[in-house]
Amino acid sequence: MPKVQSVIPLLVYEDIERAHDFLVDAFGFRAGGVERDGDGRVVHGEVVAGDVPIWLHRVTQEHELASPQSMKAQTGGLVVRVDDVDAHYAQARGAGAHIDQEPADQPYGQREYGVRDLEGYRWWFATPLT
């Protein structure tokens, strides 16, 4: 069986450029830039969390892709490990992120907080307790 080399999360946004800038400012991801079509519309973006690229895709009926803000509920989210969850929380809160859960120690061995981005994606940022 072939070996898996990597996984690249793909998130769908109505406003890719705004989402890109928010993810960089609030969550501290590295900017990967945005791509525009011939008419100047943003059609793709990328941010980098650690060594993992995250692709930002446009809403499109052709591919049946929608932003979470058009849905009643979410089916999941992303967990990102950071070296200092409390400092990360302060940065996200200061950038205006919607906090779902304040930082707290969890019985499964990490300190984490829950947050949503501008279009409603759920994120959890965590630091292992040991």
Side-chain angles (χ1 to χ4, degrees):
M1 174 171 275
K3 268 181 113 172
V4 174
Q5 294 181 353
S6 63
V7 174
I8 300 172
L10 183 139
L11 303 177
V12 179
Y13 289 97
E14 290 186 20
D15 188 336
I16 294 171
E17 191 164 25
R18 186 170 175 234
H20 174 277
D21 293 347
F22 176 84
L23 295 170
V24 169
D25 294 341
F27 297 164
F29 296 156
R30 283 194 328 272
V34 296
E35 294 178 24
R36 300 177 187 277
D37 66 11
D39 295 325
R41 290 179 302 223
V42 176
V43 295
H44 177 81
E46 181 175 310
V47 295
V48 182
D51 293 328
V52 177
I54 300 171
W55 289 353
L56 314 178
H57 198 284
R58 64 187 166 87
V59 169
T60 171
Q61 290 198 10
E62 172 189 1
H63 299 105
E64 298 179 346
L65 295 173
S67 165
Q69 68 185 0
S70 66
M71 300 175 200
K72 293 181 182 180
Q74 291 219 6
T75 60
L78 293 109
V79 178
V80 180
R81 292 265 171 99
V82 295
D83 61 356
D84 183 342
V85 74
D86 293 292
H88 194 276
Y89 163 80
Q91 177 178 334
R93 185 179 185 107
H98 174 83
I99 305 297
D100 285 333
Q101 171 195 347
E102 303 283 324
D105 293 351
Q106 301 300 324
Y108 40 86
Q110 63 185 23
R111 182 168 177 79
E112 68 183 30
Y113 77 97
V115 61
R116 294 179 194 244
D117 67 24
L118 295 174
E119 293 197 19
Y121 277 105
R122 298 190 74 178
W123 299 81
W124 291 270
F125 290 91
T127 300
L129 290 172
T130 55

